[in-house]
Amino acid sequence: MKKWLRTNVKNYYYPEKTLIMGILNVTPDSFSDGGKYTNMQPAVDQALKMEAEGADIIDIGGESTRPGYTPVTEAQEIERVVPVIKAVKEQIKIPISIDTMKANVAQAAVEAGASIINDVWGAKKDPEMAAVAAKSGVPIILMHNRRDIPYKSLMDDILSDLQESIDKVLAAGVKPEQIIIDPGIGFAKTYEENLQVMQQMERFRELDYPVLLGVSRKSVIAKTVNLPADQRDEASGAAAAFGITKGCEIIRVHNVKLHARMAQMMDKLMNKGSDING
């Protein structure tokens, strides 16, 4: 297993602590906080707040990926994210990731100061994404997603799909230590399948890459606790804590303060940080 996340801003040693990725959506239609951070100053203020509360990475996205979302053009997405990335980068000391499935957006974001690519299609939607990741040299998060469902064997199929993404970026020249995988909770999966994936998250160890879990405020939380998006944080925290027990290295969250505190306690219980010398 790769033990380091190395970026041009900061390096993180996975056995030391669970990394917290704070979500910053600069979209008008995000399911949780749509429209809140579409203006520059609120976006910068929110990034600073998340950094102060314990975020290790700020994940900036310019296109909603919620069910039924309205796609935006490449130009629109670049127009949304690039100015925010530039402004946020001037104010914070932690890496920025760009949440996009478009290669040109990823390229523009990296040029603007993003240090990580977070692709919800695992480099399969845009044929140029793998090349952009390889050329830029930044880490890439490959999330599981697919069009053809149902599954023949849920976990086996997901692992196979992710391996295809891994092989794709490796073939383009991405270094193995720059790859992170994401089970894709809430994408191309039913409620029951999302629960099963989380319950069997230890199987992602078979691929031997760091795992990011993004479950914050998603439909699997909504359907379990039957609460609106702004009241799902405690349940999201429980899901994240469960993911930490299953070995995930990064959690992607809306409420950084709550999750950072929960992760700190979970890390102590899991003996993270006892191997800080590598």
Side-chain angles (χ1 to χ4, degrees), residues 34-189:
K36 272 189 175 181
Y37 309 116
T38 51
N39 294 322
M40 187 69 69
Q41 197 55 50
V44 172
D45 290 346
Q46 177 65 4
L48 284 166
K49 178 172 179 278
M50 289 193 290
E51 181 183 35
E53 289 176 347
D56 300 292
I57 303 163
I58 303 294
D59 191 43
I60 296 177
E63 179 179 40
S64 174
T65 52
R66 65 180 173 80
Y69 76 97
T70 303
V72 299
T73 67
E74 197 173 83
Q76 285 175 311
E77 195 173 341
I78 289 171
E79 190 179 339
R80 284 179 181 178
V81 299
V82 164
V84 174
I85 290 170
K86 287 180 176 177
V88 168
K89 184 172 174 57
E90 288 180 3
Q91 298 291 321
I92 66 173
K93 296 182 175 66
I94 56 176
I96 295 168
S97 59
I98 175 63
D99 179 0
T100 187
M101 63 185 85
K102 301 184 182 79
N104 286 339
V105 176
Q107 180 66 48
V110 169
E111 290 172 1
S115 301
I116 302 167
I117 296 169
N118 182 14
D119 185 352
V120 299
W121 270 98
K124 292 179 179 179
K125 185 85 167 181
D126 188 327
E128 298 303 314
M129 183 64 86
V132 167
K135 185 179 178 182
S136 65
V138 303
I140 183 167
I141 299 162
L142 303 171
M143 198 194 81
H144 176 262
N145 210 338
R146 60 150 58 188
R147 290 188 181 88
D148 52 325
I149 46 179
Y151 299 85
K152 292 177 182 176
S153 172
L154 180 66
M155 291 304 297
D156 291 335
D157 289 355
I158 291 173
L159 290 170
S160 176
D161 291 346
L162 281 170
Q163 188 62 57
E164 288 177 4
S165 290
I166 292 164
D167 292 343
K168 192 176 187 70
V169 298
L170 288 174
V174 173
K175 296 176 181 177
E177 59 268 23
Q178 298 292 68
I179 296 172
I180 298 159
I181 58 174
D182 179 343
I185 300 299
F187 290 80
K189 300 168 189 69

